[in-house]
Amino acid sequence: MSQVFSEETHRNLLARIPHCTGREVADWLRTVEEGPALFRFEEKVSWLRHEHNLAYGHAKALIHEYDLRRAARKFL
């Protein structure tokens, strides 16, 4: 899992997603979870961008957050 943004930039992008998309981050994370079984980071970003018309930065932030949360679940 690669760090795609600084922590501050990542948090700022996540905070703006509801305003820019009209959907909460948790809703987007469910969309990723229920989406196609893609393995590579950039494949997931591309899918969000093309299937849901998201900006590149927002798609990257969502996939990065999804990966962080998925990794955290493995340690619980």
Side-chain angles (χ1 to χ4, degrees):
M1 175 171 46
S2 64
Q3 178 72 20
V4 293
F5 302 112
S6 71
E7 184 65 26
E8 181 181 3
T9 300
H10 176 69
R11 294 290 158 217
N12 286 339
L13 280 166
L14 287 179
R16 296 225 5 100
I17 285 173
H19 173 73
C20 295
T21 68
R23 292 174 63 185
E24 295 297 320
V25 170
D27 187 32
W28 283 113
L29 295 176
R30 276 191 302 279
T31 298
V32 172
E33 181 73 29
E34 296 167 357
L38 302 171
F39 294 104
R40 296 182 57 223
F41 183 89
E42 286 297 329
E43 288 176 326
K44 294 175 193 175
V45 171
S46 181
W47 173 75
L48 273 181
R49 291 185 67 218
H50 292 87
E51 194 69 25
H52 297 282
N53 204 30
L54 284 178
Y56 183 69
H58 290 150
K60 278 183 86 169
L62 284 167
I63 297 303
H64 182 62
E65 185 67 17
Y66 175 79
D67 287 346
L68 287 173
R69 292 182 185 195
R70 190 182 70 212
R73 284 193 310 248
K74 289 181 181 179
F75 291 110
L76 295 177

